[in-house]
Each structure stands twice: as structure tokens, then as C-alpha cells.
Amino acid sequence: MQEKHYVETPKFTGRNVPIDEIAKATGKSATFLREALKLGIMHFGFAFKKDGAKNYTFYCPDKQVWEELGYFKEE
């Protein structure tokens, strides 16, 4: 019979983790993280830009940040 292993995961809420918070946790600059999301190099969130808009909007769900970067903070 195979052994089963269980992993305890944090209680995710779908919270949008701010880029600045992720930058502090990873030691990378917020600009670096935003550019990496825009280019699709990193996959801990999403970068959106509406047609005709100048700026991007970012959404980094807590579960995805934890899965990709190992960072979680309960809020």
C-alpha cells in the first residue's frame, strides 16, 4: 500500500496581494515585478490594460502568489 502525504495550505481568500508587498517579500523591485508580469515571464498574477489606456492594472491572487513564490500573508 502506498503512503499518502498531505500538505497543509494557508486559508486563501482571493486577496489581491499588492505588488509592493510582493517586492518586499522577494527582494525584487516593484518595477521589475510589474514588467515581468506584463511580459508573461512570471506567473503569480495578471496584468491588464484596457484599450486606449496608458496604465496597467495588476491582480495577484494570494493563492497564485503562494504557489509561484511561496509567499503568503493573512489579511
Side-chain angles (χ1 to χ4, degrees):
M1 189 166 161
Q2 273 189 324
E3 256 185 73
K4 292 185 179 181
H5 299 276
Y6 297 93
V7 177
E8 191 172 324
T9 60
K11 187 174 181 179
F12 302 110
T13 62
R15 171 176 92 91
N16 183 19
V17 184
I19 296 287
D20 290 335
E21 184 179 325
I22 298 168
K24 282 183 184 179
T26 61
K28 297 291 182 187
S29 73
T31 301
F32 172 85
L33 296 173
R34 285 185 187 98
E35 290 301 315
L37 285 173
K38 286 193 261 184
L39 295 172
I41 296 169
M42 297 186 114
H43 307 285
F44 59 85
F46 307 93
F48 300 97
K49 185 176 179 186
K50 291 183 181 180
D51 289 336
K54 291 182 181 180
N55 297 321
Y56 281 80
T57 298
F58 298 90
Y59 177 60
C60 303
D62 58 356
K63 183 178 180 189
Q64 202 164 339
V65 171
W66 180 75
E67 289 172 342
E68 294 293 323
L69 303 175
Y71 174 76
F72 180 78
K73 180 180 174 187
E74 227 175 284
E75 282 285 12

